[in-house]
mmCIF file with all atom_site columns, all heavy atoms in Angstrom:
data_model
loop_
_atom_site.group_PDB
_atom_site.id
_atom_site.type_symbol
_atom_site.label_atom_id
_atom_site.label_alt_id
_atom_site.label_comp_id
_atom_site.label_asym_id
_atom_site.label_entity_id
_atom_site.label_seq_id
_atom_site.pdbx_PDB_ins_code
_atom_site.Cartn_x
_atom_site.Cartn_y
_atom_site.Cartn_z
_atom_site.occupancy
_atom_site.B_iso_or_equiv
_atom_site.pdbx_formal_charge
_atom_site.auth_seq_id
_atom_site.auth_comp_id
_atom_site.auth_asym_id
_atom_site.auth_atom_id
_atom_site.pdbx_PDB_model_num
ATOM 1   N N   . CYS A 1 90  ? -25.744 4.142   -21.832 1.00 97.00 ? 90  CYS A N   1
ATOM 2   C CA  . CYS A 1 90  ? -25.809 2.740   -22.217 1.00 97.00 ? 90  CYS A CA  1
ATOM 3   C C   . CYS A 1 90  ? -24.894 2.542   -23.427 1.00 97.00 ? 90  CYS A C   1
ATOM 4   O O   . CYS A 1 90  ? -24.507 3.510   -24.094 1.00 97.00 ? 90  CYS A O   1
ATOM 5   C CB  . CYS A 1 90  ? -27.237 2.328   -22.570 1.00 97.00 ? 90  CYS A CB  1
ATOM 6   S SG  . CYS A 1 90  ? -27.914 3.132   -24.055 1.00 97.00 ? 90  CYS A SG  1
ATOM 7   N N   . ALA A 1 91  ? -24.546 1.304   -23.694 1.00 94.00 ? 91  ALA A N   1
ATOM 8   C CA  . ALA A 1 91  ? -23.699 1.005   -24.840 1.00 94.00 ? 91  ALA A CA  1
ATOM 9   C C   . ALA A 1 91  ? -23.989 -0.406  -25.325 1.00 94.00 ? 91  ALA A C   1
ATOM 10  O O   . ALA A 1 91  ? -24.500 -1.244  -24.569 1.00 94.00 ? 91  ALA A O   1
ATOM 11  C CB  . ALA A 1 91  ? -22.223 1.157   -24.473 1.00 94.00 ? 91  ALA A CB  1
ATOM 12  N N   . ALA A 1 92  ? -23.664 -0.644  -26.578 1.00 93.00 ? 92  ALA A N   1
ATOM 13  C CA  . ALA A 1 92  ? -23.810 -1.977  -27.167 1.00 93.00 ? 92  ALA A CA  1
ATOM 14  C C   . ALA A 1 92  ? -22.530 -2.305  -27.921 1.00 93.00 ? 92  ALA A C   1
ATOM 15  O O   . ALA A 1 92  ? -21.927 -1.432  -28.557 1.00 93.00 ? 92  ALA A O   1
ATOM 16  C CB  . ALA A 1 92  ? -25.010 -2.019  -28.113 1.00 93.00 ? 92  ALA A CB  1
ATOM 17  N N   . SER A 1 93  ? -22.152 -3.576  -27.845 1.00 88.00 ? 93  SER A N   1
ATOM 18  C CA  . SER A 1 93  ? -20.887 -3.987  -28.453 1.00 88.00 ? 93  SER A CA  1
ATOM 19  C C   . SER A 1 93  ? -21.076 -5.237  -29.290 1.00 88.00 ? 93  SER A C   1
ATOM 20  O O   . SER A 1 93  ? -21.699 -6.195  -28.853 1.00 88.00 ? 93  SER A O   1
ATOM 21  C CB  . SER A 1 93  ? -19.861 -4.232  -27.355 1.00 88.00 ? 93  SER A CB  1
ATOM 22  O OG  . SER A 1 93  ? -18.645 -4.681  -27.894 1.00 88.00 ? 93  SER A OG  1
ATOM 23  N N   . LEU A 1 94  ? -20.500 -5.201  -30.495 1.00 81.00 ? 94  LEU A N   1
ATOM 24  C CA  . LEU A 1 94  ? -20.527 -6.378  -31.362 1.00 81.00 ? 94  LEU A CA  1
ATOM 25  C C   . LEU A 1 94  ? -19.390 -7.323  -30.979 1.00 81.00 ? 94  LEU A C   1
ATOM 26  O O   . LEU A 1 94  ? -18.354 -6.865  -30.503 1.00 81.00 ? 94  LEU A O   1
ATOM 27  C CB  . LEU A 1 94  ? -20.345 -5.949  -32.825 1.00 81.00 ? 94  LEU A CB  1
ATOM 28  C CG  . LEU A 1 94  ? -21.524 -5.204  -33.450 1.00 81.00 ? 94  LEU A CG  1
ATOM 29  C CD1 . LEU A 1 94  ? -21.079 -4.423  -34.671 1.00 81.00 ? 94  LEU A CD1 1
ATOM 30  C CD2 . LEU A 1 94  ? -22.608 -6.199  -33.820 1.00 81.00 ? 94  LEU A CD2 1
ATOM 31  N N   . PRO A 1 95  ? -19.552 -8.607  -31.200 1.00 72.00 ? 95  PRO A N   1
ATOM 32  C CA  . PRO A 1 95  ? -18.482 -9.548  -30.865 1.00 72.00 ? 95  PRO A CA  1
ATOM 33  C C   . PRO A 1 95  ? -17.183 -9.193  -31.560 1.00 72.00 ? 95  PRO A C   1
ATOM 34  O O   . PRO A 1 95  ? -17.164 -8.887  -32.749 1.00 72.00 ? 95  PRO A O   1
ATOM 35  C CB  . PRO A 1 95  ? -19.016 -10.889 -31.388 1.00 72.00 ? 95  PRO A CB  1
ATOM 36  C CG  . PRO A 1 95  ? -20.475 -10.729 -31.502 1.00 72.00 ? 95  PRO A CG  1
ATOM 37  C CD  . PRO A 1 95  ? -20.720 -9.268  -31.784 1.00 72.00 ? 95  PRO A CD  1
ATOM 38  N N   . SER A 1 96  ? -16.140 -9.184  -30.834 1.00 70.00 ? 96  SER A N   1
ATOM 39  C CA  . SER A 1 96  ? -14.802 -8.927  -31.370 1.00 70.00 ? 96  SER A CA  1
ATOM 40  C C   . SER A 1 96  ? -14.666 -7.554  -32.023 1.00 70.00 ? 96  SER A C   1
ATOM 41  O O   . SER A 1 96  ? -13.685 -7.304  -32.712 1.00 70.00 ? 96  SER A O   1
ATOM 42  C CB  . SER A 1 96  ? -14.407 -9.998  -32.399 1.00 70.00 ? 96  SER A CB  1
ATOM 43  O OG  . SER A 1 96  ? -14.470 -11.271 -31.816 1.00 70.00 ? 96  SER A OG  1
ATOM 44  N N   . ALA A 1 97  ? -15.628 -6.689  -31.825 1.00 72.00 ? 97  ALA A N   1
ATOM 45  C CA  . ALA A 1 97  ? -15.508 -5.348  -32.412 1.00 72.00 ? 97  ALA A CA  1
ATOM 46  C C   . ALA A 1 97  ? -14.446 -4.536  -31.694 1.00 72.00 ? 97  ALA A C   1
ATOM 47  O O   . ALA A 1 97  ? -13.857 -3.625  -32.251 1.00 72.00 ? 97  ALA A O   1
ATOM 48  C CB  . ALA A 1 97  ? -16.849 -4.624  -32.362 1.00 72.00 ? 97  ALA A CB  1
ATOM 49  N N   . GLY A 1 98  ? -14.252 -4.866  -30.421 1.00 76.00 ? 98  GLY A N   1
ATOM 50  C CA  . GLY A 1 98  ? -13.248 -4.140  -29.659 1.00 76.00 ? 98  GLY A CA  1
ATOM 51  C C   . GLY A 1 98  ? -13.669 -2.752  -29.245 1.00 76.00 ? 98  GLY A C   1
ATOM 52  O O   . GLY A 1 98  ? -12.840 -1.972  -28.778 1.00 76.00 ? 98  GLY A O   1
ATOM 53  N N   . LYS A 1 99  ? -14.921 -2.411  -29.416 1.00 81.00 ? 99  LYS A N   1
ATOM 54  C CA  . LYS A 1 99  ? -15.401 -1.095  -29.001 1.00 81.00 ? 99  LYS A CA  1
ATOM 55  C C   . LYS A 1 99  ? -16.900 -1.167  -28.798 1.00 81.00 ? 99  LYS A C   1
ATOM 56  O O   . LYS A 1 99  ? -17.563 -2.093  -29.263 1.00 81.00 ? 99  LYS A O   1
ATOM 57  C CB  . LYS A 1 99  ? -15.074 -0.036  -30.057 1.00 81.00 ? 99  LYS A CB  1
ATOM 58  C CG  . LYS A 1 99  ? -15.812 -0.231  -31.381 1.00 81.00 ? 99  LYS A CG  1
ATOM 59  C CD  . LYS A 1 99  ? -15.431 0.842   -32.366 1.00 81.00 ? 99  LYS A CD  1
ATOM 60  C CE  . LYS A 1 99  ? -16.117 0.627   -33.709 1.00 81.00 ? 99  LYS A CE  1
ATOM 61  N NZ  . LYS A 1 99  ? -17.534 0.982   -33.657 1.00 81.00 ? 99  LYS A NZ  1
ATOM 62  N N   . SER A 1 100 ? -17.407 -0.168  -28.093 1.00 86.00 ? 100 SER A N   1
ATOM 63  C CA  . SER A 1 100 ? -18.839 -0.072  -27.868 1.00 86.00 ? 100 SER A CA  1
ATOM 64  C C   . SER A 1 100 ? -19.404 1.145   -28.590 1.00 86.00 ? 100 SER A C   1
ATOM 65  O O   . SER A 1 100 ? -18.687 2.115   -28.825 1.00 86.00 ? 100 SER A O   1
ATOM 66  C CB  . SER A 1 100 ? -19.127 0.076   -26.366 1.00 86.00 ? 100 SER A CB  1
ATOM 67  O OG  . SER A 1 100 ? -18.750 -1.080  -25.659 1.00 86.00 ? 100 SER A OG  1
ATOM 68  N N   . THR A 1 101 ? -20.676 1.069   -28.934 1.00 90.00 ? 101 THR A N   1
ATOM 69  C CA  . THR A 1 101 ? -21.409 2.224   -29.442 1.00 90.00 ? 101 THR A CA  1
ATOM 70  C C   . THR A 1 101 ? -22.260 2.747   -28.293 1.00 90.00 ? 101 THR A C   1
ATOM 71  O O   . THR A 1 101 ? -23.045 1.991   -27.712 1.00 90.00 ? 101 THR A O   1
ATOM 72  C CB  . THR A 1 101 ? -22.296 1.834   -30.636 1.00 90.00 ? 101 THR A CB  1
ATOM 73  O OG1 . THR A 1 101 ? -21.466 1.313   -31.670 1.00 90.00 ? 101 THR A OG1 1
ATOM 74  C CG2 . THR A 1 101 ? -23.041 3.053   -31.157 1.00 90.00 ? 101 THR A CG2 1
ATOM 75  N N   . PHE A 1 102 ? -22.093 4.026   -27.978 1.00 93.00 ? 102 PHE A N   1
ATOM 76  C CA  . PHE A 1 102 ? -22.757 4.598   -26.823 1.00 93.00 ? 102 PHE A CA  1
ATOM 77  C C   . PHE A 1 102 ? -24.049 5.313   -27.199 1.00 93.00 ? 102 PHE A C   1
ATOM 78  O O   . PHE A 1 102 ? -24.172 5.883   -28.289 1.00 93.00 ? 102 PHE A O   1
ATOM 79  C CB  . PHE A 1 102 ? -21.833 5.616   -26.136 1.00 93.00 ? 102 PHE A CB  1
ATOM 80  C CG  . PHE A 1 102 ? -20.734 4.992   -25.347 1.00 93.00 ? 102 PHE A CG  1
ATOM 81  C CD1 . PHE A 1 102 ? -19.554 4.588   -25.952 1.00 93.00 ? 102 PHE A CD1 1
ATOM 82  C CD2 . PHE A 1 102 ? -20.871 4.795   -23.980 1.00 93.00 ? 102 PHE A CD2 1
ATOM 83  C CE1 . PHE A 1 102 ? -18.535 4.003   -25.217 1.00 93.00 ? 102 PHE A CE1 1
ATOM 84  C CE2 . PHE A 1 102 ? -19.858 4.213   -23.240 1.00 93.00 ? 102 PHE A CE2 1
ATOM 85  C CZ  . PHE A 1 102 ? -18.686 3.816   -23.858 1.00 93.00 ? 102 PHE A CZ  1
ATOM 86  N N   . GLY A 1 103 ? -24.992 5.305   -26.268 1.00 96.00 ? 103 GLY A N   1
ATOM 87  C CA  . GLY A 1 103 ? -26.151 6.168   -26.381 1.00 96.00 ? 103 GLY A CA  1
ATOM 88  C C   . GLY A 1 103 ? -25.742 7.594   -26.017 1.00 96.00 ? 103 GLY A C   1
ATOM 89  O O   . GLY A 1 103 ? -24.615 7.835   -25.594 1.00 96.00 ? 103 GLY A O   1
ATOM 90  N N   . ASP A 1 104 ? -26.668 8.532   -26.173 1.00 95.00 ? 104 ASP A N   1
ATOM 91  C CA  . ASP A 1 104 ? -26.360 9.937   -25.937 1.00 95.00 ? 104 ASP A CA  1
ATOM 92  C C   . ASP A 1 104 ? -26.456 10.349  -24.469 1.00 95.00 ? 104 ASP A C   1
ATOM 93  O O   . ASP A 1 104 ? -26.227 11.518  -24.142 1.00 95.00 ? 104 ASP A O   1
ATOM 94  C CB  . ASP A 1 104 ? -27.277 10.822  -26.772 1.00 95.00 ? 104 ASP A CB  1
ATOM 95  C CG  . ASP A 1 104 ? -26.871 10.842  -28.235 1.00 95.00 ? 104 ASP A CG  1
ATOM 96  O OD1 . ASP A 1 104 ? -25.721 10.448  -28.537 1.00 95.00 ? 104 ASP A OD1 1
ATOM 97  O OD2 . ASP A 1 104 ? -27.684 11.232  -29.091 1.00 95.00 ? 104 ASP A OD2 1
ATOM 98  N N   . GLY A 1 105 ? -26.804 9.417   -23.600 1.00 97.00 ? 105 GLY A N   1
ATOM 99  C CA  . GLY A 1 105 ? -26.801 9.716   -22.170 1.00 97.00 ? 105 GLY A CA  1
ATOM 100 C C   . GLY A 1 105 ? -28.138 10.180  -21.639 1.00 97.00 ? 105 GLY A C   1
ATOM 101 O O   . GLY A 1 105 ? -28.952 10.761  -22.372 1.00 97.00 ? 105 GLY A O   1
ATOM 102 N N   . THR A 1 106 ? -28.363 9.895   -20.352 1.00 98.00 ? 106 THR A N   1
ATOM 103 C CA  . THR A 1 106 ? -29.555 10.366  -19.635 1.00 98.00 ? 106 THR A CA  1
ATOM 104 C C   . THR A 1 106 ? -29.088 11.074  -18.381 1.00 98.00 ? 106 THR A C   1
ATOM 105 O O   . THR A 1 106 ? -28.336 10.496  -17.580 1.00 98.00 ? 106 THR A O   1
ATOM 106 C CB  . THR A 1 106 ? -30.454 9.187   -19.238 1.00 98.00 ? 106 THR A CB  1
ATOM 107 O OG1 . THR A 1 106 ? -30.956 8.555   -20.412 1.00 98.00 ? 106 THR A OG1 1
ATOM 108 C CG2 . THR A 1 106 ? -31.615 9.659   -18.355 1.00 98.00 ? 106 THR A CG2 1
#
Side-chain angles (χ1 to χ4, degrees):
Chain A
C90 66
S93 178
L94 289 160
S96 303
K99 66 180 178 75
S100 295
T101 300
F102 285 84
D104 284 343
T106 295

